[in-house]
Amino acid sequence: MNGNLKDIAIAEIIQLNCLDRKTAKLQAESPKGQVEIYFKDGEIVHAKLGELTGEEVIYQVLDWKEGSFSLENEASTTKNSVNRSWSGLLLEGARRIDESNTGTDSEKKEQLNGSEGNKMTQKFDEILAGLADEVTGYIASALVGIDGINLAVNEKMKLDLDLINSQMTMLLKLVKNSTEKIGAGALEDNLLTTENAFILMRFLPGNQFFLILSAERKSGNLGNMRLLSKMYTERLMKAMPRA
Amino acid sequence: MTKLEQIIYKFRGELGGDFISTDIVGMDGMSIAGGSIDPDFDANEISARFAEVMKLAKRISEKVEIGSVDDNLVTTEKTYIISRFLEDPSYFWVVVATSEATLGTLRILMNEYAPQLSEAIPNEISQASKPAGDEKTNEQKPAEAQPKEKKSRRINFWADKQIEQENGDNPDADHKNAFMFP
């Protein structure tokens, strides 16, 4: 299988291969170099870019936007330079890309650290506490960056929100990508219904952060959740630092 | 028309003008029945992409222990896209409706039609459509056991609409009534 990186990003190719638990070799070529990434049963086992091997190769190629790629199924290697899970690699890669995009903005850095940052975090906490009081069957909520890292959380019971929200970030990204590809228009929200819970995710304007809200399946009210999520994303957006 | 297609047609009629597309999809991303009324919405692409969404949702729900996935509702500026597992979780049903649709009504209709669709899926397709990860099943399945039903004619709603426009005729009463919202 061959293609162009203008049509599909390396992160997407990695995700699709890993979700399908493939064993394959991805070769991509861009003005920045030539990379080989080996998959075994849906995990990345080896990556090589020039003299560089290992996880760093993945982080360096994730933002390649031009070039060509080829995918050879069942190609394998005996080398094992990557030990991190594919989802962890993509999350870390996304975080590094976000950091490099905002890293030159020293005002934003100051706002996120120090007293300004503390005030902002406190404001987020207050907003989420207000949301908790209004949602029927409330379980938890959080303001999450597109890198899967929580900015603020509020939970009614002890949960592993780092794990849950990083996983839900992957789902939201996949949904966003899918809806864009099929021409369905801008994504507003995604509601996952499971046996035990409703989990609603809604982007803040700019699509760099999203609100995640969960309620009990038995007592939750979907209309209530969707309405409140709209209201509270606006409030969270107002509390964000201005660029 | 197979029983599955008949039910889909009936569902489409009840949803009326808000209907865009619907498919019954195996977890391999292949649709076994359904179609799209809008040529801008490729039913095959929707099936494949939302199979990935449902696979990931299922994995996440198992990993974080929030119970099995029932459905996933996506709201975009143009559409609602609801994907829900059928009784046999190796299939899911995806419906795309305009953003003008009444969401509550859509969900109720899907609740009503889901059991009928589950019953109508031919048994011999079930094994063939199991996802790649289900290795035990795949090992037991002979390579030549590709059921004919999987290759049966898909309803092409767009083609139906084109034929009506080209002929300028009145479709038969049943066909016409199927697209009238009650």
Side-chain angles (χ1 to χ4, degrees):
Chain A
M1 176 182 151
N2 300 318
N4 196 306
L5 292 176
K6 282 183 185 168
D7 300 324
I8 182 167
I10 287 185
E12 279 183 63
I13 302 169
I14 289 173
Q15 193 168 58
L16 288 168
N17 274 328
C18 292
L19 285 173
D20 281 345
R21 297 185 197 171
K22 281 191 178 163
T23 296
K25 172 181 153 190
L26 169 66
Q27 206 161 339
E29 200 167 327
S30 87
K32 295 181 184 178
Q34 188 173 9
V35 68
E36 289 177 356
I37 300 174
Y38 287 85
F39 302 83
K40 186 182 175 189
D41 298 329
E43 286 296 340
I44 298 175
V45 293
H46 179 55
K48 184 173 182 302
L49 174 66
E51 296 297 316
L52 185 65
T53 60
E55 286 180 28
E56 281 303 316
V57 170
I58 306 297
Y59 305 141
Q60 288 202 21
V61 303
L62 281 180
D63 67 347
W64 284 9
K65 290 187 174 67
E66 51 179 353
S68 61
F69 73 89
S70 65
L71 194 62
E72 189 185 333
N73 283 327
E74 303 304 325
S76 59
T77 179
T78 52
K79 292 176 185 163
N80 192 353
S81 60
V82 177
N83 295 310
R84 198 164 187 171
S85 72
W86 69 271
S87 54
L89 288 165
L90 292 186
L91 277 173
E92 174 62 16
R95 189 192 67 77
R96 291 188 184 201
I97 290 171
D98 284 345
E99 248 183 25
S100 68
N101 289 339
T102 58
T104 54
D105 189 337
S106 54
E107 274 186 26
K108 259 202 185 151
K109 268 191 178 172
E110 277 179 349
Q111 286 171 344
L112 289 171
N113 297 323
S115 60
E116 280 297 317
N118 288 337
K119 280 185 194 169
M120 185 182 66
T121 308
Q122 200 178 354
K123 187 69 185 159
F124 292 152
D125 289 340
E126 286 170 7
I127 292 171
L128 293 182
L131 179 60
D133 287 339
E134 294 202 73
V135 172
T136 318
Y138 179 85
I139 296 175
S141 63
L143 174 63
V144 188
I146 199 64
D147 52 7
I149 310 294
N150 295 325
L151 270 74
V153 300
N154 180 297
E155 53 193 335
K156 190 176 160 185
M157 61 190 85
K158 191 67 187 154
L159 298 165
D160 187 349
L161 288 179
D162 286 339
L163 172 65
I164 293 170
N165 292 341
S166 64
Q167 295 291 307
M168 298 307 291
T169 304
M170 278 168 38
L171 180 63
L172 188 63
K173 279 179 164 176
L174 181 61
V175 167
K176 180 174 181 290
N177 187 50
S178 300
T179 53
E180 280 169 5
K181 295 286 184 191
I182 65 173
L187 176 65
E188 292 188 1
D189 61 50
N190 187 84
L191 171 66
L192 181 68
T193 304
T194 74
E195 202 181 333
N196 302 332
F198 294 121
I199 302 170
L200 178 64
M201 295 181 282
R202 188 178 184 86
F203 273 115
L204 272 63
N207 293 344
Q208 292 304 303
F209 304 95
F210 66 94
L211 169 66
I212 182 168
L213 169 61
S214 63
E216 288 169 13
R217 177 75 188 269
K218 286 180 184 166
S219 51
N221 177 319
L222 280 183
N224 166 264
M225 282 179 78
R226 295 182 85 228
L227 175 64
L228 289 170
S229 72
K230 278 186 195 174
M231 288 166 51
Y232 278 81
T233 45
E234 285 172 16
R235 292 181 195 182
L236 286 165
M237 193 61 210
K238 283 178 185 165
M240 282 282 178
R242 295 285 174 259
Chain B
M1 199 181 274
T2 65
K3 192 175 174 195
L4 202 53
E5 288 170 342
Q6 285 174 26
I7 298 168
I8 287 173
Y9 239 93
K10 206 174 157 202
F11 169 81
R12 176 198 168 179
E14 285 216 55
L15 196 52
D18 294 320
F19 174 87
I20 293 177
S21 157
T22 192
D23 276 274
I24 309 298
V25 189
M27 292 306 277
D28 56 3
M30 300 292 290
S31 169
I32 61 168
S36 172
I37 200 172
D38 186 336
D40 290 335
F41 283 93
D42 181 344
N44 286 324
E45 190 173 6
I46 293 168
S47 299
R49 290 194 179 275
F50 278 85
E52 293 304 319
V53 169
M54 294 304 272
K55 273 189 208 174
L56 182 57
K58 183 170 180 284
R59 283 203 192 111
I60 290 173
S61 72
E62 287 164 1
K63 193 164 187 168
V64 304
E65 296 173 354
I66 49 174
S68 58
V69 173
D70 283 347
D71 64 61
N72 192 74
L73 163 65
V74 180
T75 306
T76 75
E77 60 179 342
K78 293 183 190 175
T79 64
Y80 291 120
I81 305 170
I82 302 185
S83 326
R84 67 179 283 165
F85 282 109
L86 295 175
E87 208 175 293
D88 178 351
S90 53
Y91 293 95
F92 71 94
W93 179 22
V94 59
V95 175
V96 183
T98 70
S99 54
E100 309 299 314
T102 304
L103 201 48
T105 306
L106 174 55
R107 288 177 75 98
I108 286 172
L109 277 176
M110 288 186 77
N111 286 341
E112 185 188 322
Y113 278 85
Q116 299 174 47
L117 289 167
S118 292
E119 245 185 71
I121 294 173
N123 287 335
E124 52 267 36
I125 294 181
S126 297
Q127 293 304 313
S129 289
K130 289 252 186 302
D134 195 348
E135 288 163 357
K136 224 185 230 180
T137 308
N138 287 341
E139 281 166 10
Q140 291 167 354
K141 174 177 70 66
E144 60 274 16
Q146 287 291 328
K148 286 180 184 173
E149 283 81 351
K150 198 170 180 183
K151 298 175 186 172
S152 68
R153 181 183 64 86
R154 285 170 51 84
I155 301 173
N156 186 337
F157 295 121
W158 177 241
D160 294 341
K161 199 168 178 180
Q162 275 184 328
I163 290 165
E164 287 170 30
Q165 287 170 350
E166 281 164 11
N167 293 344
D169 56 2
N170 290 325
D172 61 85
D174 287 344
H175 186 67
K176 193 175 179 181
N177 288 338
F179 307 125
M180 286 176 64
F181 196 75

